[in-house]
Amino acid sequence: MDDGRKVWVPHPIDGYKLGRIVDIGAEGVTVEVGDKPSGGQKISAPFDRVFPAEEYDKDVEDNCSLMYLNEATLLNNIRLRYMKNDIYTYVANIVIALNPYIEMPDLYSSATIKSYLGKSLGQRPPHVFAIADKAYRDMKVLKVNQSIIVSGESGAGKTESTKYILKYLTECWGTHAGPIEQRIVQSNPLLEAFGNAKTMRNNNSSRFGKFVEIHFDPKNQVCGGFISHYLLEKSRICVQNDEERNYHIFYRMCAGAPDALRQQLRLGTPDNFQYLNRGCTQFFCSKESEKGLNQNRKSQMLVQKGSLRDIQLDDVTDFKLTDGAMTQMGLSEQDKLGIYTIVAGVLHLGNICFEDDPDSKGGCRASPKTDESLTTAALLLGCDKEDLKKSLVSRAMQAVKGGRAGTVIQVQLKPSEANSARDALAKSVYSKLFDYIVGRVNQSLPFQSSKSYIGVLDIAGFEYFQTNSFEQFCINYCNEKLQQFFNNRILKEEQALYDKEGLNVKKIEYIDNQDCIALIESKGSGILDILDEENKLPRPTYDHFTSEVHKANKNHYRLCVPRKSKLKTHREIRDEEGFLIRHFAGAVCYSTAQFIEKNNDALHTSLAILITESKSPLVKQIFQGTESESIRKLTFISIGSKFRSQLTVLMEKLNSTGTNFIRCIKPNVKMVDHLFEGNQILTQLQCSGMTTVLELMQQGYPSRTSFSELYAMYQGYMPQDIKKLDPRTFCKALFKALGLNENDFKFGLTKVFFRPGKFAEFDQIMKSDPENLAALIKKVKRWLVCARFKKAQWCALSVIKLKNKIRYRQGLLVKLQASIRMWISKHEYKPRIKAMAKLRNLSTQFGQMKQMAGQLKKDKDAATKKLAAHEKDLTDAMNKIQKATKIPPKDLEKIYGTVVADLEKTLAELKKMVEKEKIAEEQERLKRIQEEMEKERKKKAEEDKQVKDGEDQKKQKAEIEARRKKEDDLRKKQEAADSKNMDALQKQLDKQSADDLVRNQQQEQERRDRELALRLVSEDSNLVDDVTPLARSDLVAKSKKRDLSKFTYAQLRDTINTSCEVELLEACREEFHRRLKVYHDWKTKNKKPGDDTSTAPKAIIKSAKLTALVAQKTEKGSEDAQRYFRIPFLKPGDEHRDDDFKKKGWWMAHFDGKWIARQLELYANKDPILLVAGVDDMQMCELSLEETGLARKRGAEILEREFEEEWAKHGGAKYLQNHVRQISSKFLRMKLGVK
């Protein structure tokens, strides 16, 4: 089908596979994948998930350059490039970056950096350097701060992309800054050491978010920087999953610290520390560093399994890099020792264990076995050992009842509570240390002379695990906000600007996640507010919090109970133990057991006082400003509210800057090179909004500038005559002078917009170098001179052309007048001339009759006199006709009839005379005369028949026109009746459209939920429910009398050709044409740019859309009526216009009742196209007669004879005979004698 053209069909592993359509189903198509002669796998998919493929399997640098822009071709193009080690691809001005998982040194060398300097997007292959350069030039030219948002899930390469962007900016414009350039670059490995960790999905996963600002001075050179960080994952400090590690710094100190430092801090192997040994204790090492690693540093796991391998990580050597980065940031040896001491103190703190105290009722004590760890931790943190022990096993509270107000009492803690207090202290110390390190980095990057900045956002991507807690909740909340920003900046604001500027760009629908954000952050009923309120209660519990969340957001689409999850393990969570949120990327089930604890960033009073009074200068410094609140109750500091405030500030920054996007993609879960897992990559592309952007960029304009800004940039270099031009005219002249293609840009009301991939032209215009501006002004001036001269030439030629046209039309008018006069004269004299001609023909017969009379032996004189009398009568009749001013045609016929009757009578008499005299020769002559007269009589009869046929045709056409008027009157009456309910009908249609949109979005959300669950299953061995929404075809099928959803396209056609059951036949016809209509809609939606896939003229297609708004009634008996129509592709009057506007031909159709039976397309410059129902259904008009509106078009309906003449003239009869067995029209089959 469809001439065997290839299409992309969804595939559960590869994302999409190539195939060919073999059947059109009720609500989709069946595609056969593969090129095997025996036939490949057949996959059924809905129309909206099947896409046309490129004719040639080639890759392009910008996906907008593809012939077909859809998610399937996007995925295929990325796959082709990835396999060639081209990891970057453009979608307009957005970069898609795939993590290669191999070293690519040449891709980021200094030579590569220089090659991108000052180059526009599209001039060099796609790269993050190109985006960095664009951001710099936009900042410089537009005078607007810029931001680069690097997004993607864990393991996609966000951190590396960020590092290379910073490297590009500092190398290109930071060489004069000296150490500042080095510090900006070195800040990344330092922060990675303390903020990155190995997870199941990424060996170097950032467990915090950061917004790095590179500041520039008035000369647009790097002058400093600033780093804002967000939401360090503190729970990782105390516990990790089996295959995950704690933060890198712990392992680097164990593996790479000098022996003296290790002894001073009493470090051992990771097995010796409880905060490390519950996860993966292997080091990242290269082969060389592993050989030099002492046995006293190796864990048992490393000995058994060997070290971990990663091209970017080596715990042994990375310790020296971290230490060097600290030195680069200006930290002294004492400062570095203080940092290492605190890190070691956290490790030793985690080794303190607790047990029930037999001397205290319900209390606990520090285990004697861990007394050494307690001593070491107290020493390293600068605390008194006994005070630390006491603060860990008890807390201070102020009595409210039963004693003097303000009395402080010590409350003993249970072992589990003491463990929580210890972990809280460890997390607080480490997070404060991280804040301190970020602060020191910022101190080393002063930017007092800053004029503008470029910010690079690197924050944790969307996360989903088997067990998701408060950290994943906050990270995903952040990603919801960033996705909304992306939607607003790229989709919503972009389309609003197009509408405002009048660009007439088709509106693109996208899923708005505002409802999900409102679920999390709205006042009162939002999850964060409910969590804060729960934390403030005297005895907060997670089950009460979870119940309140479900209660406050009952029936919220985005919120569900865990038992509705698609994962088996999640369905085992009780309703009060968690909730499921449908995020933009898929549904995530959160366990709320630790939400309350993790939301509180405050230590209990005893520990807070202890740590703020530490004897360690660094510990005291990092807790400076942390004062204990009233000891009456625990202090509550909401992490959720703090993070929400940070996000608000971040969003304000992003909204105030120009934005550039880099979408990082993780190619596979195994983190190996050259493995392309299509389906999970497709999911990432969809979740990042790239497929929607592709649809917008297909017809959008990603670059623009206002006329006034462009005019102001050049104004100082303009001569006076050019300054007189208004900004819009000047811009038009500028583009013409540059020779830009008009298809590459479009003028709005106040701005000029550029197509994707045309940034080189745009940047050439926007470069503000004085020499460049002056050169462009010269080009504009030259173009204006040439344009004005050409305009003068054109005006002169137009005048000459107008003169010739006037003369030509004058000649046509004379010719028209002469033709009209000729027609009037001909119409007036034609009957008389015709009558004279007939009478003259009779005069020749007189000569023959005279000869006959001359040969008579008897009655010769009498016969001669009689003929002379007849000849006189003939002459008198001719004179009468010639001299009369006006004789009616009836009188002419009467005169002619009288003369002929007399002649016939005389001829009969002569015949008798000849017979009497038995003159054989005369009898033969009489016979010839009689034959001639018989011919005259038949000729007259034929003329009378033609006149009658002409009158009959006029009558038939009058009947057709009367029927059309009648149908039109009925339609108008129906419309008048329906107009009363039109508002209600329109509301109903709008509601149906909105419901369809919501349903489609919900189906898309269900699909994403399932894809997310399947990705988790690929990592773990859980089962997934086959929960799928009710297909639209099922809903349609249930509403009909006959369920034809299982009929194939071929079965429907065969049933139409063979069935005698009227009801089944009609149902099959309806379903057959409905499928064709859906299929042609799909082809139209996915057609090539500039390609015409319509099966009928545009007027008919437009009529069908209008007809669909109001249900039309069909007259009884019209089901079997044969009607014929003819309409032009363009107006016939256009045939004398220029070549581009000439008419293209005629479209003719024969309707057998409701549906088309034959279609004929006549063209001026190519062969006609003949189509017959049952043979060429895929190319024929699929609309019903009522939908086409042909019956309502004046002059469209023609006679059967007219259609049949054209059909036969172009070989229609032979075409029917060649396909006689395939024809589905009942009328044609009967006509051809086919049973």
Side-chain angles (χ1 to χ4, degrees):
M1 302 180 72
D2 198 22
D3 298 328
R5 294 177 183 173
K6 291 185 177 181
V7 296
W8 291 105
V9 63
H11 191 267
I13 298 175
D14 297 333
Y16 279 94
K17 273 200 169 185
L18 271 178
R20 292 176 172 84
I21 297 176
V22 294
D23 185 40
I24 302 175
E27 288 298 325
V29 293
T30 300
V31 178
E32 186 177 74
V33 299
D35 295 322
K36 297 179 180 178
S38 58
Q41 177 190 3
K42 291 184 179 180
I43 301 175
S44 296
F47 279 103
D48 58 355
R49 301 291 298 158
V50 177
F51 302 99
E54 298 285 312
E55 295 179 6
Y56 306 101
D57 202 15
K58 62 178 182 178
D59 64 284
V60 294
E61 294 180 348
D62 188 348
N63 286 282
C64 294
S65 301
L66 293 169
M67 184 65 69
Y68 297 106
L69 295 181
N70 53 65
E71 62 184 46
T73 54
L74 169 64
L75 181 67
N76 182 59
N77 188 52
I78 292 174
R79 177 183 62 81
L80 294 174
R81 292 180 59 77
Y82 178 72
M83 292 306 174
K84 296 179 181 178
N85 286 335
D86 294 327
I87 62 173
Y88 296 116
T89 310
Y90 287 133
V91 175
N93 56 347
I94 302 172
V95 166
I96 297 177
L98 270 71
N99 194 336
Y101 292 119
I102 55 173
E103 287 280 6
M104 304 180 74
D106 294 338
L107 193 59
Y108 307 103
S109 64
S110 297
T112 304
I113 289 176
K114 291 179 181 178
S115 68
Y116 280 88
L117 188 61
K119 296 295 190 299
S120 306
L121 291 184
Q123 288 184 305
R124 295 282 298 151
H127 205 294
V128 291
F129 291 165
I131 293 296
D133 194 83
K134 176 183 179 296
Y136 176 80
R137 285 182 285 108
D138 287 348
M139 177 196 71
K140 181 180 177 182
V141 175
L142 302 177
K143 314 298 182 187
V144 177
N145 295 330
Q146 299 293 309
S147 60
I148 302 174
I149 299 178
V150 185
S151 60
E153 67 175 46
S154 181
K158 300 185 298 298
T159 302
E160 291 303 308
S161 296
T162 301
K163 286 195 291 188
Y164 289 127
I165 291 171
L166 297 179
K167 178 183 178 182
Y168 183 86
L169 293 174
T170 53
E171 278 199 27
C172 292
W173 299 285
T175 52
H176 80 293
I180 290 180
E181 174 200 356
Q182 299 283 333
R183 290 171 183 172
I184 291 174
V185 175
Q186 289 296 324
S187 66
N188 272 293
L190 177 58
L191 295 180
E192 284 180 21
F194 289 87
N196 287 28
K198 177 191 181 302
T199 65
M200 294 175 63
R201 299 194 179 116
N202 187 6
N203 290 335
N204 191 27
S205 176
S206 297
R207 308 316 298 165
F208 71 103
K210 64 179 181 288
F211 186 65
V212 184
E213 300 174 12
I214 307 298
H215 286 262
F216 296 84
D217 59 21
K219 295 182 180 179
N220 296 310
Q221 298 294 318
V222 174
C223 65
F226 187 81
I227 299 174
S228 305
H229 69 287
Y230 310 95
L231 197 68
L232 179 72
E233 185 184 18
K234 292 189 288 186
S235 63
R236 182 170 295 274
I237 300 166
C238 304
V239 64
Q240 309 89 39
N241 292 330
D242 293 340
E243 299 179 14
E244 298 189 347
R245 300 201 318 173
N246 209 321
Y247 291 105
H248 292 325
I249 188 61
F250 295 114
Y251 304 92
R252 292 179 182 179
M253 288 178 61
C254 293
D259 291 334
L261 181 61
R262 292 180 76 249
Q263 290 177 6
Q264 182 180 353
L265 302 179
R266 301 178 187 179
L267 295 175
T269 68
D271 292 335
N272 297 337
F273 300 105
Q274 188 174 333
Y275 281 169
L276 303 181
N277 59 25
R278 287 178 287 184
C280 174
T281 58
Q282 296 165 271
F283 294 142
F284 281 102
C285 293
S286 63
K287 292 181 180 180
E288 293 77 14
S289 59
E290 186 177 2
K291 289 178 182 178
L293 194 64
N294 294 331
Q295 290 296 324
N296 63 349
R297 296 175 184 247
K298 294 181 179 180
S299 66
Q300 290 297 318
M301 188 179 294
L302 187 146
V303 172
Q304 295 172 4
K305 299 181 179 180
S307 62
L308 300 171
R309 292 282 191 267
D310 192 284
I311 57 176
Q312 296 175 333
L313 299 175
D314 188 329
D315 290 326
V316 178
T317 58
D318 285 348
F319 177 81
K320 296 179 182 179
L321 294 177
T322 303
D323 191 79
M326 289 186 190
T327 303
Q328 190 73 35
M329 294 299 142
L331 274 73
S332 65
E333 293 296 325
Q334 190 65 30
D335 292 334
K336 291 192 289 184
L337 179 60
I339 291 173
Y340 295 144
T341 301
I342 292 176
V343 173
V346 170
L347 286 179
H348 289 289
L349 184 65
N351 284 348
I352 301 174
C353 299
F354 304 94
E355 59 186 24
D356 292 327
D357 186 0
D359 299 331
S360 175
K361 193 174 182 179
C364 70
R365 66 180 182 182
S367 175
K369 296 179 182 179
T370 58
D371 189 64
E372 183 180 352
S373 298
L374 176 63
T375 303
T376 305
L379 177 65
L380 296 176
L381 296 177
C383 302
D384 182 75
K385 174 184 175 182
E386 294 301 322
D387 290 344
L388 178 59
K389 181 194 298 185
K390 183 179 179 181
S391 298
L392 288 174
V393 299
S394 64
R395 64 180 181 181
M397 291 189 66
Q398 182 179 14
V400 179
K401 296 181 180 180
R404 189 162 60 100
T407 301
V408 177
I409 60 175
Q410 291 292 329
V411 179
Q412 295 297 314
L413 301 178
K414 298 177 182 179
S416 59
E417 294 174 334
N419 285 329
S420 297
R422 176 203 63 203
D423 293 344
L425 178 60
K427 290 187 284 188
S428 180
V429 170
Y430 190 85
S431 64
K432 293 290 184 182
L433 177 64
F434 188 76
D435 294 343
Y436 167 78
I437 292 173
V438 175
R440 290 300 300 267
V441 171
N442 287 332
Q443 288 177 17
S444 68
L445 305 173
F447 55 93
Q448 288 82 2
S449 60
S450 173
K451 177 188 175 185
S452 53
Y453 71 86
I454 296 176
V456 184
L457 178 64
D458 173 17
I459 204 162
F462 185 78
E463 289 193 346
Y464 51 95
F465 302 103
Q466 289 294 333
T467 302
N468 301 286
S469 190
F470 185 68
E471 292 84 5
Q472 283 70 46
F473 174 78
C474 290
I475 288 172
N476 293 340
Y477 164 49
C478 173
N479 279 272
E480 288 283 357
K481 296 282 285 186
L482 290 176
Q483 184 65 28
Q484 185 187 49
F485 174 78
F486 177 81
N487 290 341
N488 289 341
R489 182 60 61 94
I490 299 297
L491 300 175
K492 185 178 180 180
E493 293 180 7
E494 194 80 0
Q495 294 190 84
L497 179 62
Y498 292 162
D499 292 340
K500 181 181 177 182
E501 292 288 330
L503 298 188
N504 196 26
V505 174
K506 179 185 174 184
K507 188 174 182 181
I508 305 299
E509 298 292 344
Y510 61 93
I511 299 177
D512 189 358
N513 63 338
Q514 175 57 37
D515 56 343
C516 186
I517 294 174
L519 171 67
I520 297 171
E521 68 175 15
S522 62
K523 296 293 183 182
S525 62
I527 295 175
L528 289 176
D529 276 10
I530 296 174
L531 181 59
D532 288 349
E533 291 300 319
E534 187 68 28
N535 272 103
K536 294 175 184 177
L537 296 177
R539 292 186 178 275
T541 59
Y542 71 88
D543 53 350
H544 180 262
F545 156 67
T546 309
S547 299
E548 287 297 314
V549 169
H550 287 300
K551 182 180 177 181
N553 297 280
K554 191 176 181 181
N555 299 326
H556 198 293
Y557 170 70
R558 295 279 185 176
L559 183 70
C560 289
V561 291
R563 51 189 154 88
K564 292 190 177 181
S565 172
K566 298 184 183 296
L567 282 173
K568 182 180 178 181
T569 53
H570 291 166
R571 294 198 302 273
E572 295 173 355
I573 301 175
R574 292 184 299 176
D575 292 357
E576 63 273 12
E577 293 179 344
F579 50 76
L580 183 142
I581 296 180
R582 290 190 175 99
H583 290 287
F584 72 93
V588 178
C589 187
Y590 297 98
S591 175
T592 57
Q594 294 183 314
F595 265 53
I596 295 171
E597 174 189 343
K598 293 179 178 180
N599 187 47
N600 191 354
D601 199 29
L603 297 171
H604 69 69
T605 308
S606 300
L607 286 176
I609 295 174
L610 174 72
I611 203 68
T612 54
E613 295 177 354
S614 171
K615 296 176 183 178
S616 168
L618 184 56
V619 173
K620 196 166 186 177
Q621 182 181 351
I622 64 178
F623 278 91
Q624 189 175 3
T626 306
E627 300 177 356
S628 60
E629 301 286 339
S630 172
I631 61 173
R632 177 183 175 188
K633 59 182 179 179
L634 294 178
T635 305
F636 167 60
I637 301 175
S638 172
I639 290 182
S641 297
K642 178 182 177 182
F643 185 57
R644 177 167 52 184
S645 301
Q646 289 178 324
L647 271 184
T648 301
V649 174
L650 175 63
M651 290 298 116
E652 289 174 354
K653 278 186 178 181
L654 295 179
N655 282 312
S656 65
T657 62
T659 315
N660 304 272
F661 292 94
I662 297 174
R663 295 304 205 188
C664 296
I665 303 296
K666 185 177 181 179
N668 58 78
V669 296
K670 296 179 180 179
M671 294 184 287
V672 296
D673 60 288
H674 293 96
L675 176 59
F676 192 89
E677 295 180 350
N679 194 49
Q680 70 109 357
I681 292 174
L682 177 63
T683 302
Q684 294 176 67
L685 292 172
Q686 292 169 338
C687 293
S688 64
M690 295 312 302
T691 55
T692 310
V693 170
L694 196 66
E695 189 177 357
L696 177 63
M697 291 308 170
Q698 184 175 7
Q699 51 192 350
Y701 303 85
S703 288
R704 75 291 311 266
T705 185
S706 67
F707 301 135
S708 57
E709 289 178 359
L710 206 56
Y711 182 83
M713 185 183 299
Y714 292 89
Q715 193 171 13
Y717 302 90
M718 295 181 189
Q720 289 300 321
D721 55 340
I722 295 183
K723 281 185 179 180
K724 296 177 182 179
L725 299 174
D726 64 273
R728 184 185 179 94
T729 305
F730 169 75
C731 291
K732 185 177 180 181
L734 178 62
F735 295 162
K736 292 290 187 181
L738 289 172
L740 299 184
N741 191 331
E742 293 187 359
N743 296 325
D744 295 338
F745 64 90
K746 193 169 185 178
F747 277 20
L749 298 177
T750 62
K751 298 177 185 288
V752 60
F753 295 80
F754 286 82
R755 284 285 190 189
K758 301 302 174 184
F759 298 105
E761 291 90 336
F762 178 70
D763 285 341
Q764 183 181 359
I765 296 172
M766 296 304 293
K767 282 180 181 176
S768 54
D769 302 326
E771 294 181 1
N772 183 61
L773 297 179
L776 289 178
I777 288 296
K778 289 181 180 178
K779 287 184 179 181
V780 170
K781 193 170 183 179
R782 184 178 184 281
W783 180 86
L784 283 173
V785 172
C786 294
R788 287 166 181 167
F789 181 70
K790 288 179 180 179
K791 192 173 183 179
Q793 287 180 317
W794 182 84
C795 290
L797 290 173
S798 297
V799 171
I800 295 171
K801 187 177 179 180
L802 180 61
K803 179 198 70 174
N804 293 336
K805 186 177 287 187
I806 291 172
R807 288 182 176 177
Y808 171 73
R809 289 184 176 178
Q810 183 181 19
L812 289 179
L813 287 174
V814 172
K815 187 175 181 180
L816 179 64
Q817 291 172 351
S819 298
I820 292 174
R821 291 194 187 101
M822 178 193 72
W823 184 87
I824 293 173
S825 300
K826 184 178 177 182
H827 184 71
E828 181 178 354
Y829 289 99
K830 185 177 179 180
R832 298 168 68 180
I833 293 171
K834 192 175 180 180
M836 289 290 291
K838 290 179 180 180
L839 293 175
R840 285 194 184 95
N841 289 336
L842 293 178
S843 64
T844 59
Q845 297 177 12
F846 272 112
Q848 296 174 357
M849 294 174 69
K850 285 180 180 180
Q851 290 180 3
M852 291 172 59
Q855 294 175 2
L856 290 175
K857 296 178 180 180
K858 296 180 180 180
D859 300 326
K860 180 177 180 181
D861 295 336
T864 303
K865 289 181 181 180
K866 201 168 188 178
L867 287 174
H870 285 307
E871 188 174 9
K872 184 177 181 302
D873 292 339
L874 178 61
T875 303
D876 292 342
M878 294 174 68
N879 291 333
K880 182 179 180 182
I881 292 173
Q882 280 183 329
K883 294 178 180 179
T885 56
K886 188 174 182 182
I887 300 178
K890 291 182 179 180
D891 293 346
L892 292 173
E893 289 292 335
K894 186 177 180 182
I895 293 171
Y896 177 74
T898 303
V899 174
V900 169
D902 292 343
L903 283 176
E904 287 179 348
K905 184 178 179 182
T906 303
L907 181 62
E909 292 175 355
L910 285 173
K911 188 177 179 181
K912 289 179 181 179
M913 293 178 183
V914 170
E915 287 178 354
K916 288 180 181 179
E917 296 183 3
K918 297 180 181 181
I919 303 175
E921 294 84 359
E922 293 302 325
Q923 287 181 351
E924 185 64 28
R925 192 175 297 174
L926 285 172
K927 184 178 179 181
R928 284 198 300 268
I929 294 173
Q930 190 173 9
E931 288 175 354
E932 289 179 2
M933 295 188 69
E934 182 65 21
K935 286 181 181 179
E936 284 292 326
R937 187 185 65 78
K938 287 181 178 180
K939 186 177 179 181
K940 183 176 180 300
E942 182 65 26
E943 291 176 353
D944 293 342
K945 184 176 181 299
Q946 289 180 357
V947 172
K948 186 178 181 181
D949 289 344
E951 292 176 353
D952 290 341
Q953 287 182 14
K954 288 182 181 179
K955 185 178 179 182
Q956 288 178 0
K957 290 183 177 180
E959 290 175 353
I960 289 174
E961 182 64 18
R963 181 171 60 184
R964 186 196 64 79
K965 288 183 178 180
K966 182 180 178 182
E967 291 176 352
D968 198 36
D969 292 340
L970 290 174
R971 181 181 60 82
K972 289 180 179 179
K973 289 180 181 179
Q974 182 66 34
E975 288 178 354
D978 291 337
S979 63
K980 298 178 181 179
N981 302 321
M982 185 58 70
D983 292 339
L985 178 62
Q986 189 62 46
K987 288 180 180 179
Q988 183 180 355
L989 290 173
D990 293 342
K991 183 177 182 300
Q992 183 180 354
S993 177
D995 291 344
D996 288 342
L997 179 61
V998 171
R999 180 183 178 83
N1000 291 337
Q1001 291 180 350
Q1002 291 179 353
Q1003 287 178 334
E1004 177 65 17
Q1005 184 68 49
E1006 286 283 345
R1007 190 186 62 78
R1008 291 185 181 182
D1009 295 349
R1010 181 173 177 78
E1011 292 291 340
L1012 201 65
L1014 286 172
R1015 292 181 67 184
L1016 277 175
V1017 167
S1018 66
E1019 300 170 3
D1020 297 284
S1021 57
N1022 291 286
L1023 299 177
V1024 181
D1025 280 344
D1026 288 324
V1027 181
T1028 54
L1030 183 63
R1032 188 178 297 275
S1033 58
D1034 296 333
L1035 296 175
V1036 173
K1038 289 182 179 180
S1039 65
K1040 294 183 178 181
K1041 294 181 180 179
R1042 290 182 179 271
D1043 183 7
L1044 302 175
S1045 59
K1046 295 182 180 179
F1047 275 49
T1048 65
Y1049 175 83
Q1051 287 174 332
L1052 286 174
R1053 188 168 56 192
D1054 292 343
T1055 304
I1056 294 171
N1057 291 342
T1058 59
S1059 177
C1060 297
E1061 187 179 346
V1062 177
E1063 185 179 344
L1064 175 61
L1065 185 63
E1066 185 60 28
C1068 286
R1069 283 185 181 275
E1070 290 280 351
E1071 178 64 15
F1072 181 80
H1073 286 278
R1074 187 192 67 80
R1075 292 188 188 184
L1076 275 180
K1077 191 184 301 183
V1078 176
Y1079 173 73
H1080 285 303
D1081 288 343
W1082 173 80
K1083 287 190 66 176
T1084 302
K1085 181 181 178 182
N1086 294 282
K1087 68 179 181 179
K1088 292 181 183 178
D1091 192 10
D1092 186 14
T1093 60
S1094 59
T1095 56
K1098 293 181 180 179
I1100 292 179
I1101 304 298
K1102 184 178 179 180
S1103 176
K1105 293 179 180 178
L1106 297 174
T1107 306
L1109 290 175
V1110 182
Q1112 300 290 336
K1113 295 183 179 179
T1114 307
E1115 293 185 34
K1116 287 186 177 181
S1118 63
E1119 290 82 359
D1120 297 327
Q1122 306 302 311
R1123 302 180 71 173
Y1124 305 85
F1125 300 90
R1126 178 182 62 194
I1127 61 171
F1129 281 106
L1130 291 176
K1131 295 180 180 179
D1134 291 339
E1135 60 184 349
H1136 299 297
R1137 295 189 179 183
D1138 296 335
D1139 290 340
D1140 293 337
F1141 299 97
K1142 282 187 177 180
K1143 70 172 184 177
K1144 298 297 187 294
W1146 292 89
W1147 187 87
M1148 303 179 72
H1150 163 211
F1151 279 83
D1152 182 2
K1154 186 177 180 181
W1155 306 107
I1156 194 167
R1158 287 179 287 175
Q1159 183 173 314
L1160 177 62
E1161 298 176 14
L1162 302 177
Y1163 298 92
N1165 52 359
K1166 64 178 182 179
D1167 295 335
I1169 298 176
L1170 288 80
L1171 305 171
V1172 178
V1175 181
D1176 310 294
D1177 297 297
M1178 304 298 290
Q1179 291 82 39
M1180 296 182 70
C1181 175
E1182 72 281 3
L1183 304 173
S1184 67
L1185 176 58
E1186 187 59 44
E1187 288 174 326
T1188 61
L1190 287 170
R1192 299 189 295 273
K1193 289 183 180 295
R1194 178 174 296 180
E1197 188 165 5
I1198 60 176
L1199 299 174
E1200 178 182 2
R1201 178 185 58 79
E1202 296 177 274
F1203 180 88
E1204 294 295 350
E1205 285 178 358
E1206 292 292 337
W1207 181 261
K1209 184 193 302 182
H1210 298 96
K1214 183 179 179 181
Y1215 190 77
L1216 289 176
Q1217 289 296 334
N1218 291 340
H1219 302 89
V1220 66
R1221 293 295 176 185
Q1222 298 173 261
I1223 297 173
S1224 60
S1225 168
K1226 185 178 178 181
F1227 172 80
L1228 291 177
R1229 292 173 70 88
M1230 291 177 61
K1231 184 176 180 180
L1232 296 171
V1234 180
K1235 296 183 180 179

